[in-house]
Amino acid sequence: MGQRSDSAWSAEIASEFDDQALGVSRPDPIPFEAASAGVPPAWPDALRLGRPRDLLRLLRPVFGWRSPVELPAALPGRDRIPRYLQQEIHGVPNGFYSHRFMEGYARWFDVTMLHTLQRGRERIAEMLGTATSALDLGSGDGKLAAALVLHGVQDVWGLDASPYLLQIGARAYPRVRFVHGVAERLPFGDGRFDAIGASFLFHELPPRYADEAIAECARVLRPGGRLVFCEPSPEQLAPGSLRRTIQRHGWRGLYFWTLAHCAFEPFIAAWHGRHYDEWAATAGLELVADDVIFPLRFFVCVKPME
């Protein structure tokens, strides 16, 4: 990604989508280079936790006092980050945009999920392991992309909107090519991939952008290609679900019910209200599997052969 200016990024985006409209085959984007990418510190990186004022500022979103994300002026690709992502999702100070909290997020999120998401990524990678090319959509720090590499996929890309997470992933997994972007505007040509995997992505998108994102998945998949992704189970958020969830899952049910009700997820209700087969069909995909393995839900979509 380097040190290109926001205006350069804007020109590149416009060029990419002009090419798409004209039917011109689009080259792959330039991968994110961890060593050269200039990812500046954000305000949480400058705070000193020993000072009460700084500590209070960090704790605000934990108690529901959320503020819009502040993106550093020098952040590469700053103009690519849509407004819906400029929120303190999950109650993380400054959202996904700081070195301090994204390094902690990469280290501790699986622990918070009791490693269920780690097993979920492994399940997705197993289902996509026969692909020759795959995209980890909303890759974060790249753990699903790395699992795809370990399962034998030779050409693996990861895409995410947070340069902070991309830098962590690019340093940890050099065999993956990471690129900065958003799911609703993929910087790849038509039919570029055999497979797309995603982990906890679609429920974090507003409905309109989720529609655009799955349409983009259909566009960049080859005929016969698969989209496999996991999202939170709806069980822990259903009305009156506490007793039922505890009866079915014991202390784990109580834990994930509490986690679901404490995390700030502004679009999750809209996600759980979808008719998933119709949603996939509108984009030109067929939903062939929908399985709940608490606390996750797995979806498999296939792009029909032409």
Side-chain angles (χ1 to χ4, degrees):
M1 200 166 63
Q3 301 283 347
R4 282 176 290 178
S5 67
D6 281 353
S7 59
W9 278 117
S10 298
E12 180 181 305
I13 295 169
S15 175
E16 287 174 357
F17 285 90
D18 286 347
D19 286 349
Q20 181 182 345
L22 293 170
V24 177
S25 178
R26 191 189 314 172
D28 287 335
I30 299 171
F32 186 99
E33 296 291 342
S36 61
V39 183
W43 66 259
D45 301 315
L47 299 185
R48 293 163 53 186
L49 300 186
R51 295 194 303 197
R53 182 179 61 184
D54 288 0
L55 183 60
L56 180 61
R57 187 176 187 191
L58 289 179
L59 290 176
R60 283 185 306 99
V62 176
F63 297 104
W65 304 328
R66 287 176 287 271
S67 301
V69 163
E70 296 178 21
L71 300 175
L75 184 67
R78 185 175 184 268
D79 59 332
R80 286 190 170 193
I81 300 170
R83 193 171 299 277
Y84 72 83
L85 283 174
Q86 297 181 39
Q87 302 185 71
E88 293 180 321
I89 304 293
H90 300 167
V92 178
N94 215 46
F96 297 121
Y97 306 99
S98 72
H99 293 292
R100 168 179 274 155
F101 282 101
M102 289 307 94
E103 288 166 3
Y105 189 86
R107 188 177 302 115
W108 292 106
F109 187 63
D110 276 349
V111 176
T112 303
M113 290 295 297
L114 305 183
H115 298 286
T116 56
L117 203 52
Q118 179 180 345
R119 293 190 288 273
R121 290 191 298 266
E122 183 69 17
R123 179 183 173 92
I124 293 171
E126 288 175 357
M127 287 191 277
L128 298 179
T130 59
T132 58
S133 60
L135 172 64
D136 176 4
L137 189 60
S139 60
D141 62 327
K143 290 186 176 73
L144 174 56
L148 290 165
V149 170
L150 289 176
H151 278 76
V153 184
Q154 296 299 308
D155 177 29
V156 179
W157 289 73
L159 178 141
D160 200 86
S162 169
Y164 298 91
L165 285 170
L166 288 173
Q167 189 168 66
I168 295 169
R171 287 171 174 166
Y173 309 116
R175 290 180 59 187
V176 177
R177 286 178 283 186
F178 290 94
V179 63
H180 186 237
V182 290
E184 63 269 21
R185 293 197 116 187
L186 297 181
F188 299 98
D190 297 355
R192 172 63 178 81
F193 296 102
D194 298 315
I196 299 174
S199 173
F200 274 36
L201 168 72
F202 287 104
H203 78 276
E204 294 187 348
L205 303 179
R208 167 194 160 191
Y209 293 99
D211 293 345
E212 294 176 1
I214 197 169
E216 279 289 272
C217 288
R219 180 183 66 79
V220 303
L221 276 175
R222 296 168 189 160
R226 286 182 292 170
L227 165 65
V228 181
F229 61 99
C230 71
E231 300 293 338
S233 159
E235 183 176 347
Q236 53 266 39
L237 278 176
S241 62
L242 177 58
R243 176 177 293 183
R244 183 171 60 252
T245 304
I246 294 174
Q247 288 173 342
R248 291 179 178 176
H249 307 288
W251 69 268
R252 294 174 74 253
L254 175 61
Y255 177 84
F256 283 111
W257 185 94
T258 303
L259 197 64
H261 284 79
C262 290
F264 175 57
E265 298 274 14
F267 312 115
I268 196 166
W271 167 254
H272 286 318
R274 279 192 176 277
H275 298 287
Y276 303 107
D277 52 349
E278 296 176 6
W279 175 63
T282 300
L285 300 175
E286 180 183 359
L287 179 64
V288 297
D290 176 356
D291 300 312
V292 174
I293 304 176
F294 184 86
L296 308 180
R297 186 172 187 170
F298 293 86
F299 301 84
V300 180
C301 298
V302 175
K303 183 173 181 176
M305 298 297 294
E306 295 176 346

